Amino acid sequence: MVNFKDLGLVNTRDLFAKAVKGGYAIPAYNFNNMEQLQAIIQACTETESPLILQVSKGAREYANGTLLRYMAQGAVEYAKEISKNGKAIPIVLHLDHGPDFETCKACIDYGFSSVMIDGSHFPYEENVAITKKVVEYAHAHDVTVEGELGVLAGVEDEVASETHTYTQPDEVEDFVKKTGVDSLAIAIGTSHGAYKFKPGDDPKIRLDILAEIEKRIPGFPIVLHGSSSVPQDLVKIINENGGKLKDAIGIGEDQLREAAKSAVCKINIDSDGRLAMTAAIRKVFAEKPEEFDPRKYLGPARSALKELYIRKNKEVLGSAGHAFDK
Ligand code: G3H
Ligand code: 13P
Ligand code: ZN
């Protein structure tokens, strides 16, 4: 049993309070390997942004939970090493889409500082019950909890949901009160993966539902999943270099910028990072077919990811410069 504080990590409580007040969102970036972790830490340290490092169930299966936890612990030291003032940016280690109580508990016991319990696929009362159970265990260890109401369409940790169910504003106050969650993920038209809209769709999120939710729980931290924008320049590079991503469409960055100014204080981005790395790797393979040293293609992929996340922090989330806010 390890407590996150001994690893130099922080929970989300203070970070969210500052983000809601300051009108910006904290980046929640997923990682599965060393290059992603390096790029994320470098980007957030250079922009002085607070950071939520996310580990999904799939990431734990791919890379091993123990290894990922030690990597996150190392990331705090690494962040100190590369910072200008010798201080690490605040780093949260968060379980993304926790599927059940046991996984959340295992992560808390492992040193995670924040967990998501994704009960959004259950009927309302079941969602309340499982979320409450996780909150009780987490809070006893000062770990913060994200719950979810409403169902996002798209591929979600091996669970594919065909339909999108918008969060009902009428339910949020009751859910927050009954469960004691620290933040709430909502469904307002974002979705997971690179195919969020079909050609001809109006690719808009429902900022009106967000406003309605904020009225019911003023100042309560809101989370947006599925917030990749699927940059078309990256899709083009991938397709020009042997890829086959047809009609990949994401959320406009202007809309995310708008949402970040509200009580949305955590924005989850994974697919855009995957696209940036894939584009860089495909380019190396197409232009230098003689290369076979993984550093020669993972290095450029890491640089591309870092540049993308620097831009997100500065231009989309508005989190740049807020790491050491009082
Ligand atoms: O929401 C899903 C995240 O992008 C993580 O995806 O389950 O493939 O690791 P994953
Ligand atoms: P994207 O697939 O839009 O990047 O969403 C990531 C996410 O929500 C992780 O929980
Ligand atoms: Zn998600």
Side-chain angles (χ1 to χ4, degrees):
M1 171 106 201
V2 193
N3 187 274
F4 69 86
K5 288 171 195 163
D6 297 329
L7 309 183
L9 300 163
V10 297
N11 66 25
T12 57
R13 201 168 291 119
D14 281 358
L15 297 189
F16 283 170
K18 286 180 196 162
V20 171
K21 214 166 121 214
Y24 59 90
I26 299 169
Y29 297 139
N30 293 69
F31 84 104
N32 298 266
N33 65 27
M34 185 187 74
E35 284 75 11
Q36 287 174 319
L37 184 63
Q38 288 173 318
I40 294 168
I41 298 294
Q42 288 170 10
C44 291
T45 299
E46 269 181 38
T47 55
E48 296 202 341
S49 167
L51 164 66
I52 298 173
L53 264 181
Q54 303 204 123
V55 173
S56 70
K57 179 171 170 266
R60 293 178 91 227
E61 281 160 10
Y62 174 78
N64 180 273
T66 306
L67 204 46
L68 289 177
R69 196 262 281 170
Y70 280 105
M71 284 168 79
Q73 186 177 347
V76 177
E77 296 306 314
Y78 178 55
K80 270 185 215 158
E81 205 177 297
I82 62 171
S83 79
K84 276 194 264 165
N85 59 6
K87 273 171 62 181
I89 51 166
I91 300 175
V92 174
L93 179 60
H94 176 79
L95 168 67
D96 190 24
H97 294 283
D100 48 41
F101 174 78
E102 289 68 30
T103 309
C104 292
K105 181 180 180 300
C107 286
I108 293 165
D109 293 350
Y110 243 52
F112 279 56
S113 58
S114 173
V115 292
M116 173 189 192
I117 173 69
D118 186 352
S120 60
H121 298 279
F122 295 128
Y124 182 77
E125 288 306 335
E126 245 177 89
N127 189 0
V128 168
I130 187 171
T131 305
K132 191 165 180 281
K133 189 173 172 194
V134 170
V135 168
E136 275 164 11
Y137 187 78
H139 283 185
H141 299 83
D142 205 22
V143 168
T144 39
V145 180
E146 174 183 323
E148 179 165 342
L149 264 183
V151 183
L152 272 68
V155 181
E156 186 169 295
D157 280 50
E158 297 137 27
V159 181
S161 179
E162 288 280 308
T163 49
H164 186 101
T165 312
Y166 291 110
T167 304
Q168 293 178 37
D170 279 346
E171 287 181 348
V172 295
E173 201 182 343
D174 184 67
F175 186 80
V176 163
K177 212 187 280 168
K178 280 190 180 148
T179 58
V181 276
D182 302 279
S183 60
L184 182 68
I186 59 167
I188 54 168
T190 63
S191 58
H192 291 103
Y195 302 91
K196 301 185 192 302
F197 300 99
K198 299 203 170 59
D201 281 356
D202 184 16
K204 288 257 161 50
I205 54 173
R206 295 285 301 272
L207 294 171
D208 58 318
I209 299 181
L210 170 63
E212 207 43 57
I213 289 169
E214 283 199 64
K215 265 193 226 156
R216 317 291 171 106
I217 43 173
F220 190 82
I222 303 289
V223 176
L224 286 189
H225 281 249
S227 297
S228 279
S229 295
V230 190
Q232 292 302 302
D233 54 332
L234 296 178
V235 174
K236 191 162 176 273
I237 295 173
I238 291 171
N239 288 341
E240 280 173 359
N241 290 282
K244 278 195 182 132
L245 300 183
K246 199 174 167 323
D247 300 331
I249 303 171
I251 307 288
E253 290 188 338
D254 52 326
Q255 291 177 65
L256 295 169
R257 211 172 297 131
E258 218 36 61
K261 288 182 196 152
S262 71
V264 168
C265 61
K266 173 176 181 272
I267 291 190
N268 290 13
I269 297 172
D270 187 6
S271 297
D272 281 357
R274 297 179 182 192
L275 292 169
M277 293 185 90
T278 301
I281 290 171
R282 279 200 176 275
K283 219 158 171 279
V284 174
F285 284 169
E287 288 169 6
K288 299 178 190 162
E290 70 283 5
E291 285 295 358
F292 64 96
D293 178 345
R295 292 171 296 187
K296 297 286 165 48
Y297 49 88
L298 293 177
R302 180 175 64 191
S303 302
L305 188 61
K306 176 183 169 184
E307 289 318 308
L308 175 81
Y309 286 166
I310 284 179
R311 197 180 63 70
K312 295 271 184 194
N313 291 354
K314 287 185 178 167
E315 296 174 15
V316 184
L317 305 162
S319 62
H322 289 290
F324 304 108
D325 282 1
K326 289 277 170 277

